[in-house]
Each structure stands twice: as structure tokens, then as C-alpha cells.
């Protein structure tokens, strides 16, 4: 195990992998995941539905919207079909930059993220809290053409950025580099649909396992889209975003506790 991988402390990407039924996680990740699940048993449903939301959005952007460039921040441990596989199934020349700050994600990304030879798949080890490091990185600038529309994907990441790190500044800085016609995709955990006691228990479980986490409500989530054109159906549960073709009945907003939305840069 590379020395830079700390297996003694839970990491969001590896915990997410555990909830999705993956095997790329460690004891600390499983203990943290189980602690949250004890407070909110539907958390595995939330993780599964959030992943499905990403895939539906990818099909919409690559298919209907014609987007062929993606900047995916907080990609997590790869699971197939991943973003680049979906995008390149519509356009083999699609280019995807994945960003995460967990060394084990980097290791798996290098091993698994095989691009179509006509396109490009790049992985960057960076932290969303330092957006300028991402935007100015030569690999990002080489892979993506910021003079043409692209999609910024920040899926199930911002609830790990506390107010002290000013997530609104982070998103605003990232969006400021996007040309008109680009898209912004966000999802975020919310306590709007759970009893206050449940939200407290989830927060306590995260603190006990040293995971920084912050729920945000509808209006707080909406602030991330200031100045953008939110696409139909607006801000909704990730389980309900263009989910007519998914198995029915869909999980309720309370069972997922994650908002999702897609917006266009005017």
C-alpha cells in the first residue's frame, strides 16, 4: 500500500464505494459508513440513486446537449459505466478530466480509465477547495478547450466542503471559466426531508469518524446556481431527475436526501 494512502481514517470516496457495494475500501471506511447507516438506513439507496443521476445527466449532456468536454471534480473510485464511457459512447472524441484528492482513486483511475483512442481521459490529483490549481493545471488546459462549451460535474462533493472553506466561492470561481453554453451539474446531501434528530445523528457519526460533512437546504443549494439557467425539472431529488425510464416506483425524496440539478451558462 502506498505510504500516502491513509487507511486508518475514513475517506468519502472509499466510503461511497462501500455504500455502492464496492471492494475498494478499508475498515475505517466501512465503520464510518455503518455509523451513518445506523442513523440514516437509506444512505445506500442515496448513494445508488446519486450514481444513477450522474449517468442520466451524462447521457443528456453527451446526447441531447452535444457536450463533448467534461470536468468531473470529485470523481471517486471508478465504477462502470463511468462518465467517459457514457460520453464516448455518444462521441468517441469526447474528452474527460477527472479530479479527486484520494491517492487510491488515482491508482484505480490509472488502471481502469481507458479512453477511446479518438478521445481523451485524464486524471488530476487535486482538491476542489483550491479551484485555481485545477483550472490552471497544464493537463486540464491541454485536455479541455475553454473556448467551447463544456460540462462541470460536481456530484456529491460539496457537502464535504464546509462553510469555512467557502464552497460558494469555489463554485463561482470554477463557473467563471466556463464559456456560454456550458453546463453545471451539482448534487448535494440535504436534511430537508428528515427529522432534526436524524440529521444530528448523521452529523455526529461523521464527526466521530473524522469526516467533514455539512447538510444544506434547498435555498442553500440553489445559491450555487446564481446567475445560471436551471434546466427542467429544476432542483429535485436525484431519484426523480429525468427518471421516467428507471424502475418504478422511484425512491422518495426522504429516502435519497440528495438534491440534484443541471444548469446552463447563459
Amino acid at each position: 500500500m502506498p505510504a500516502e494512502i491513509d487507511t486508518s481514517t475514513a475517506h468519502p470516496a472509499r466510503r461511497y464505494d462501500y455504500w455502492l457495494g464496492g471492494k475498494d475500501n478499508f475498515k475505517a471506511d466501512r465503520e464510518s459508513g455503518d455509523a451513518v447507516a445506523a442513523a440514516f438506513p437509506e444512505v445506500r439507496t442515496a448513494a445508488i440513486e446519486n450514481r444513477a443521476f450522474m449517468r442520466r445527466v451524462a447521457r443528456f449532456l453527451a446526447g441531447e446537449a452535444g457536450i463533448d468536454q467534461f470536468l468531473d471534480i470529485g470523481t471517486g473510485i471508478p465504477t462502470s459505466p463511468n462518465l467517459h464511457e457514457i460520453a464516448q459512447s455518444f462521441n468517441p472524441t469526447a474528452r474527460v478530466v477527472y479530479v479527486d484528492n484520494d491517492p487510491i482513486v488515482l491508482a484505480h483511475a490509472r488502471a481502469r480509465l481507458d479512453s477511446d483512442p479518438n478521445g481523451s481521459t485524464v486524471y488530476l490529483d487535486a482538491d476542489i477547495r483550491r479551484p485555481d490549481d485545477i483550472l490552471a493545471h497544464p493537463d486540464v488546459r491541454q485536455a479541455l478547450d475553454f473556448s467551447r462549451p463544456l460540462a462541470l460535474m460536481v456530484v456529491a462533493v460539496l457537502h464535504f466542503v464546509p462553510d469555512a472553506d467557502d464552497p460558494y466561492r469555489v463554485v463561482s470561481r470554477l463557473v467563471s471559466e466556463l464559456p456560454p453554453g456550458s453546463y453545471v451539474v451539482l448534487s448535494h446531501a440535504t436534511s430537508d426531508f428528515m427529522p432534526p434528530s436524524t440529521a444530528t445523528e448523521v452529523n455526529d457519526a461523521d464527526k466521530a469518524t473524522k469526516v467533514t460533512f455539512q447538510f444544506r437546504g434547498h435555498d442553500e443549494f440553489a445559491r450555487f446556481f446564481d446567475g445560471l439557467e436551471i434546466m427542467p425539472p429544476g432542483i429535485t431529488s436525484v431519484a426523480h431527475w429525468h427518471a421516467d425510464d428507471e424502475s418504478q416506483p422511484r425512491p422518495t425524496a426522504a429516502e435519497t436526501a440528495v438534491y440534484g440539478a443541471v444548469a446552463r451558462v447563459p
Side-chain angles (χ1 to χ4, degrees):
M1 187 65 60
E4 66 269 21
I5 298 179
D6 180 6
T7 64
S8 66
T9 302
H11 189 282
R14 301 193 304 258
R15 189 175 71 172
Y16 189 56
D17 174 76
Y18 172 56
W19 285 332
L20 289 173
K23 297 180 180 179
D24 299 310
N25 49 75
F26 302 99
K27 181 180 179 181
D29 309 305
R30 294 188 288 272
E31 289 178 346
S32 180
D34 289 343
V36 173
F40 181 59
E42 296 85 358
V43 68
R44 291 182 175 85
T45 297
I48 291 169
E49 290 299 329
N50 181 76
R51 194 70 180 174
F53 164 75
M54 183 280 292
R55 291 168 177 161
R56 292 196 302 275
V57 169
R59 289 192 290 269
F60 164 75
L61 293 175
E64 295 184 37
I67 296 295
D68 63 358
Q69 305 185 100
F70 298 81
L71 177 57
D72 181 16
I73 302 179
T75 178
I77 295 170
T79 59
S80 187
N82 219 344
L83 174 59
H84 73 285
E85 294 173 303
I86 297 170
Q88 292 177 351
S89 71
F90 286 92
N91 184 346
T93 67
R95 308 175 74 82
V96 180
V97 174
Y98 291 111
V99 180
D100 208 294
N101 67 345
D102 183 358
I104 199 170
V105 175
L106 172 60
H108 284 290
R110 287 173 173 167
R112 300 181 187 176
L113 298 183
D114 295 327
S115 174
D116 187 290
N118 297 301
S120 176
T121 301
V122 176
Y123 180 84
L124 178 63
D125 184 8
D127 193 315
I128 190 174
R129 293 171 295 181
R130 296 187 289 275
D132 287 320
D133 291 354
I134 297 171
L135 294 170
H137 198 282
D139 290 350
V140 174
R141 290 294 169 173
Q142 181 177 5
L144 304 177
D145 179 358
F146 282 81
S147 70
R148 298 194 300 110
L150 58 99
L152 170 66
M153 313 278 288
V154 187
V155 178
V157 177
L158 291 168
H159 41 244
F160 298 114
V161 183
D163 286 342
D165 289 327
D166 199 353
Y168 298 104
R169 176 195 59 83
V170 169
V171 172
S172 178
R173 177 69 187 99
L174 292 167
V175 171
S176 72
E177 291 289 318
L178 305 181
S182 296
Y183 287 84
V184 177
V185 181
L186 308 178
S187 68
H188 197 298
T190 183
S191 59
D192 282 356
F193 307 102
M194 61 180 63
S197 59
T198 299
T200 298
E201 290 173 7
V202 171
N203 284 322
D204 289 346
D206 281 318
K207 290 177 183 177
T209 55
K210 300 180 181 179
V211 175
T212 300
F213 179 85
Q214 183 171 342
F215 284 120
R216 291 188 174 93
H218 181 281
D219 292 347
E220 293 173 301
F221 181 59
R223 278 185 57 196
F224 288 112
F225 297 99
D226 284 353
L228 303 176
E229 176 190 354
I230 299 180
M231 307 299 292
I235 295 173
T236 185
S237 165
V238 290
H240 301 155
W241 193 91
H242 290 291
D244 291 344
D245 293 335
E246 299 280 8
S247 59
Q248 304 293 329
R250 305 300 299 134
T252 66
E255 290 171 324
T256 52
V258 179
Y259 283 127
V262 176
R264 186 175 183 273
V265 178

